[in-house]
Each structure stands twice: as C-alpha cells, then as structure tokens.
Amino acid sequence: MTAPSPALTAADILVETLIAWEVDTVFGLPGDGINGVMEALRTRQDRIRFIQTRHEESAAFMASAHAKFTGKLGVCLATSGPGGTHLITGLCDAALDQAPVLAITGLQAHDLIDSFTQQDIDLSRMIGNIAVFDTKVASAAHMETVAGLACRAALTRRGVAHLSIPADMQVQRLEDSPRSSRNRPGHVPNRRFYGRSLPDPDQVELAASILNRAERVMILAGQGAAGAVSELEKTADLLAAPVAKALLGKAILPEDHPHSTGGIGMLGTLPSEEAMEGCDALLIVGSTFPYIEYYPDPGQARAVQIDRDGERIGLRYPVEAGLVGDAAESLHLLNEKLERKQDRSFLERAQSGMARWREMMRAAERQDDVPMKPQVVVGALGRRLPPEAILTSDSGQNTELAARHVPLGPGQDYAVSGTLASMACGLPYAIAAGLAHPDRPVFAIVGDGGFAMQLGEFSTAVRHGLNLKLLVIRNGMLNQIAWEQMMFLGNPQFACELQPIDFAKAAEAMGGRGFTVSEPGQVDAVLDQALATPGPVVIDAIVDPYEPMMPPRLPETHARNLREALPETPGREKIEAALAAEPLRTMIEAGRK
C-alpha cells in the first residue's frame, strides 16, 4: 500500500480506503457530527456515490441489502447521537444474516467525549455489541490503520464493522496527526486475501458414510448454498432427497424443481414438514434456520452440516459430521463419495405431496370473495414476474404470502430480513436492489404496517427513478401479530388494528404512481396497467383483514389456543367462516397427523 499524502484528512483517508475496497455506494443522512466525511464524499462523487435516505434505519437496511444482492461491502453513514442509534435495527439485520456492512458514525469532539455534551452517546458501546470490528478513531494516523481493517473484518467475518469518528478528528490532516514510532505509514494493505476453505477429509468420509447408509435423506438449504446450486442439485439427485429451503434460501432452487419442497417452518409447506418428520438423515447446507421445532426429533435422524463458520455447526440439531468450508467445494468433495440411491420412494412421496400443495395454493389464488383474499393479488403478481426480477418482502403476513405464492425461477433473486425478521425492511431492501442493479426490475411485497414505518422512503425511489413496483397488502391489521396472540398463547387479538392510509394517494403525493385494487375481478387489469407504468409504483391492495395465517400443520396446542381466543376476538364469525371455507379447511385437515 502506498502511504497517503500528508495533506489528506482522516475523512479523506477513509473515503479513499472505501474506494480501494471497491465500495461504490454509501447510504446515509448528513448531520453536523459527520460533516468531515460528507465533504470527503462530495469531493469524490465521481468515484463513489452518496445516497441520501429519509431515515438512518433505512440507510442501514439498504447497506445490508446491498451486501446481500452484490456480495460486496455495504456501507452506511450517520451523524452522532440519534443518527447512530437509528442505524442499529438495520445493523442487527446485517449481523444476524451475516451480511458484510461497515457503519460510519460521527462523535463529538475528542476532548468532549463523556462530558455530557450534546449528543454524547457512546455509539461504540452500543454498536460494538453486534460488531465484528469496532473502534473509535483517535487520529488521522489511526484512520490510516483501521479503515482498511474495518473493511476486511466485515468481509472476512461476514458481519458489521463500525468506525466512530470524533468530528474534529475527521478534518485532522495526516501531517498534523501525532504518529507513534511503531506506526509506519502504509503498513496495512488495502486488500482482502481470498480463499475457498476446504473441509476436513475425515469429516467428508464420515458424512458420506452417514448419507450412504441412510434410506430417507432430507436436505435443508439456506443462503449459504447460493454459490453451490449445481453441486446441490447433484447431491439431491444422488441421495434422492427432497430439498426444503429456509426463507433466505428461497431463490436457491426454482420452486418447480423436482427436488424442491418449498419453504420450511410456519411460512413453509406441508411436504417440507412431512419430509422432516419422516427422514432418517438430514443434510444441512448453509443454513442455521432458527425454528428448532421444525427439525426432526433429536435421535430420529443422523445429521451432516456444511457451513463456512464452524461455530454454527450443530447449532440447531445434533450433528455427527461437520464440514467446515465453502459450500460448493464441500459438496463437490462429498458428491465424489456418494452412492446413487436406487430407492426413490421417499422423494416421490414428497413430489406427490408438492403436487397437492401447489394445487391448494392455486385454489387459494382463484378465490373470488369480497373482501378480496390477499392470495389472489399476490399470486397474480407472482405469475407476472419477469425472468430477471428481484423480489423483496417485509416481515409479517406479507412474508408468508411471498413465500408461498410467488414462485421464483432461475435468474431471479430474493431477500428479506431473515433472522431479525424486522418490519420496515421491504422498501429499503427494494431501493438498494434497484440502485445496485438498475437494469433489472424490482418488486416488493409489504404490509400496511411495515410500509407505514418508512413510508417517506418511497420518495427516495422516486428521486432515483427506480424501476420499482411495490405491492402493499392493506388489511388494516398487524395480521401476523394478531394470529400469534391467538395461536401462541390463546389470547384474544388486541391492539393490532391500524388506522387506514391511502397508499396510492401517498405515492402520487411523493411523485410516483399509485393504483388501488379491492376486488378479484379488478386484479389482472390493475396489475397489467401498474406493471406497464415506468418508474416507482405503489399497488394498494385492500384485502380481507380476517384471512387466517395458517402454518402448514396446525399443532393441537395452537388449535386449542385458537378456540380459546376466538370468543373475545373482534370479527370472530368472519374468522370462523374463513377457517371453514376452502382451501383452508383442506389445508387444516391435511396438516393433521
């Protein structure tokens, strides 16, 4: 690394380092606590762009999504005090989903720290709890050392790095910065040293032995399998294994792939759950799907897990063979030792189950009830996604709808706040996707609760003219929360109703286009018109607030809790009517053991 010019400020060194690490976009909001960095960005805007957001939480979500959609470092920036605290939710999303993100925050002047001055908040202490690298920058000479280390840590350890920079240190020139005798200029290279790690050969042998001896193998694939699709397909074929996909791995295999059983968990499919219940061996590839109750019972199945992070081996289920390394390389080595199973009956049962499940989903999408069922409009949107589409969703009932009613194929991508499952992520994710891939159409499915939290951010999409089509499921409810109140604890729904917002008018007010649809007969015409409209578009879908959110198999405890909760829950009669109607009645019956 060439030593920087003595005339450069700490902020200049930081931004030059970002450029050296191939960062092309910084998301954030200006403020006086970060003015030095903003000036360094201004003077280099021909090489790195600054995307002004309407809220710092959105900036952090966008940085997380940028990392997920590009594989590169996502960067967000905020001023001192409340600017930095607003970042934390989006940074938690990045940390839990292992997205490499660098957060840059301002700090009060170095000689006023911890003196109860304005915005005197120790952001290092707050963000450091979730960071893989965190430091307060002491000087321009210190910045020369730590800026590259922060970038490298975020990328190598797949997490959040944080630099907190006092306002006066941002504008300190390197020539004015005291340097210790051991801190030689240019001693830290601005390079990431790449390598694909290989698993222990003995563990590969053990894994092959376990899987070859098994009769009914199930595969659980997550986002860590994204770079290993062809190897995963070969593994599934050799083992005659159904493949369930964690939500972050939704785009790993096409929904109609012969080995795919779709999602797993509360948002998943019955065939995935049945295969988990019936397998005698489980292969986990790049996933730490958190809902332990959807794994096989301990002792039922022997397990093999592939993960680049050894700390995550055996995190959810007892594992006998752990392959710590790159998923593609690990599967390649494993495939060389697998024997092709002649008995395909376990896979065939899952395939028959998927045929029945898909027909139930299609039946739900054909309903002509008024108020309109949300599956109708989501299914219609899903059928219209072009081959190169990028899809995001928020957290809530809209996540279930996207998971079950939007089939993704080759060349399409999907992202969501996975492990954190935060509301308000869908729109910032979509904006980041559109900025990173301006040649691809972007779609988002969000709920009225989450969308309202960051409603003003739609103006950011308008400002940049993004090819974004955003479907809002407006049921006037925090629907998932309402069903969790009833099914998890047997409590009546409480405090989940939302004041209605006309989102189509809000979109128009911000310079975009808005469309409203409330009846099944309108769906095709409205969607065709909305999708043919250039630029950012909101499709405000007014749907049935009492449509149940059902897991693929309703546990008896949930059924009992629901019966106890309904008598005091508003809309009881409409909920009971929905539960008794098709296709929910068939789904509930099919889900009973």
Side-chain angles (χ1 to χ4, degrees):
M1 173 181 172
T2 303
S5 165
L8 293 179
T9 66
D12 291 330
I13 295 168
L14 170 61
V15 177
E16 288 290 343
T17 301
L18 295 181
I19 294 169
W21 282 85
E22 299 181 353
V23 173
D24 57 18
T25 306
V26 176
F27 304 95
L29 201 61
D32 64 345
I34 205 72
N35 276 343
V37 177
M38 291 302 302
E39 175 62 9
L41 287 168
R42 184 191 71 82
T43 56
R44 293 164 177 82
Q45 56 189 304
D46 58 328
R47 292 187 287 157
I48 187 169
R49 62 177 173 174
F50 178 74
I51 300 296
Q52 181 211 81
T53 64
R54 304 303 292 260
H55 196 284
E56 291 91 351
E57 180 178 304
S58 290
F61 274 132
M62 290 180 195
S64 178
H66 180 88
K68 291 180 179 182
F69 283 120
T70 66
K72 296 182 178 181
L73 182 65
V75 180
C76 56
L77 177 148
T79 190
S80 56
T85 63
H86 286 163
L87 290 176
I88 290 177
T89 299
L91 295 180
C92 287
D93 172 63
L96 292 180
D97 283 351
Q98 301 178 75
V101 167
L102 171 63
I104 302 164
T105 61
L107 195 63
Q108 59 277 1
H110 81 281
D111 54 356
L112 291 176
I113 293 173
D114 295 332
S115 68
F116 306 103
T117 190
Q118 187 181 37
Q119 297 187 345
D120 191 3
I121 295 175
D122 190 344
L123 293 172
S124 286
R125 182 175 296 179
M126 298 180 72
I127 298 175
N129 288 330
I130 59 168
V132 298
F133 182 94
D134 176 87
T135 193
K136 296 176 183 176
V137 179
S139 66
H142 189 213
M143 178 68 84
E144 183 188 355
T145 300
V146 298
L149 289 177
C151 296
R152 187 188 304 178
L155 285 162
T156 303
R157 299 175 63 186
R158 306 289 300 182
V160 171
H162 174 223
L163 295 175
S164 186
I165 318 169
D168 56 333
M169 290 298 102
Q170 294 171 33
V171 296
Q172 183 186 60
R173 296 185 184 278
L174 191 57
E175 60 190 0
D176 300 327
S177 176
R179 184 187 295 273
S180 64
S181 60
R182 298 175 64 186
N183 182 7
R184 293 189 175 183
H187 74 273
V188 177
N190 271 334
R191 287 181 58 199
R192 178 185 178 193
F193 295 91
Y194 293 87
R196 304 183 78 178
S197 58
L198 301 178
D200 184 328
D202 291 341
Q203 290 295 305
V204 176
E205 291 282 357
L206 177 58
S209 175
I210 291 170
L211 297 171
N212 283 333
R213 292 179 183 180
E215 297 179 353
R216 303 176 305 280
V217 181
M218 178 69 178
I219 297 175
L220 171 61
Q223 65 173 344
V229 174
S230 61
E231 292 85 356
L232 179 66
E233 289 179 310
K234 184 174 181 180
T235 307
D237 178 64
L238 288 167
L239 296 173
V243 180
K245 300 178 295 182
L247 185 60
L248 290 176
K250 177 176 172 63
I252 297 297
L253 288 182
E255 306 289 359
D256 59 356
H257 192 280
H259 286 269
S260 174
T261 55
I264 183 76
M266 189 167 180
L267 312 179
T269 71
L270 183 60
S272 287
E273 190 160 341
E274 289 175 333
M276 279 289 189
E277 293 168 351
C279 69
D280 64 356
L282 173 65
L283 172 59
I284 305 169
V285 183
S287 176
T288 51
F289 173 71
Y291 298 99
I292 297 172
E293 63 270 27
Y294 288 97
Y295 287 80
D297 291 333
Q300 169 198 320
R302 303 180 72 185
V304 174
Q305 185 172 355
I306 298 172
D307 203 288
R308 65 185 167 215
D309 184 356
E311 186 179 11
R312 292 173 178 262
I313 299 290
L315 190 61
R316 309 296 184 209
Y317 190 80
V319 166
E320 292 184 51
L323 279 60
V324 181
D326 177 81
E329 296 288 354
S330 299
L331 286 173
H332 175 73
L333 294 172
L334 182 61
N335 287 341
E336 292 181 337
K337 300 181 181 300
L338 292 179
E339 302 165 1
R340 192 173 195 275
K341 296 193 180 297
Q342 300 306 308
D343 183 354
R344 322 291 284 185
S345 58
F346 185 62
L347 172 62
E348 290 165 357
R349 285 196 298 274
Q351 290 170 335
S352 297
M354 279 306 293
R356 293 190 296 272
W357 178 265
R358 291 186 183 106
E359 179 51 40
M360 283 193 292
M361 296 302 100
R362 286 192 290 267
E365 295 163 12
R366 292 193 295 262
Q367 297 174 96
D368 57 4
D369 306 61
V370 177
M372 181 172 63
K373 300 295 184 181
Q375 299 93 326
V376 175
V377 66
V378 174
L381 177 67
R383 292 190 294 273
R384 287 168 165 79
L385 294 190
E388 70 281 14
I390 298 175
L391 175 68
T392 73
S393 64
D394 214 291
S395 294
Q397 187 189 33
N398 66 90
T399 322
E400 174 218 10
L401 294 165
R404 289 180 175 171
H405 297 280
V406 180
L408 295 182
Q412 296 175 328
D413 289 307
Y414 172 73
V416 67
S417 174
T419 311
L420 186 65
S422 174
M423 294 174 66
C425 69
L427 176 58
Y429 265 51
I431 292 171
L435 290 167
H437 300 288
D439 56 331
R440 297 176 63 182
V442 179
F443 299 82
I445 299 174
V446 301
D448 47 358
F451 185 39
M453 289 180 175
Q454 293 289 352
L455 179 59
E457 212 64 70
F458 184 75
S459 67
T460 304
V462 173
R463 180 177 190 173
H464 294 280
L466 301 183
N467 186 13
L468 169 62
K469 306 298 180 279
L470 191 145
L471 175 63
V472 185
I473 305 301
R474 176 152 58 114
N475 53 22
M477 291 280 288
L478 298 171
N479 196 279
Q480 181 173 345
I481 296 170
W483 284 94
E484 288 171 346
Q485 288 177 346
M486 292 186 281
M487 288 195 298
F488 291 176
L489 294 176
N491 297 328
Q493 179 273 114
F494 176 69
C496 294
E497 299 91 345
L498 298 172
Q499 176 68 19
I501 297 173
D502 189 326
F503 292 108
K505 287 184 178 179
E508 299 276 352
M510 286 183 275
R513 291 293 307 277
F515 297 85
T516 301
V517 58
S518 60
E519 297 181 10
Q522 304 170 337
V523 168
D524 288 336
V526 170
L527 286 182
D528 287 343
Q529 184 180 2
L531 270 55
T533 301
V537 171
V538 166
I539 305 157
D540 190 5
I542 302 172
V543 302
D544 185 357
Y546 301 109
E547 177 66 9
M549 181 177 171
M550 288 288 105
R553 187 191 298 284
L554 188 63
E556 178 51 37
T557 53
H558 287 183
R560 182 177 64 250
N561 288 340
L562 185 56
R563 290 192 295 269
E564 293 175 358
L566 279 177
E568 296 183 55
T569 294
R572 169 189 175 180
E573 296 81 4
K574 295 178 181 178
I575 294 172
E576 290 176 334
L579 291 170
E582 294 293 353
L584 278 177
R585 183 173 63 186
T586 298
M587 288 177 61
I588 293 171
E589 290 295 328
R592 290 175 179 165
K593 288 186 178 179

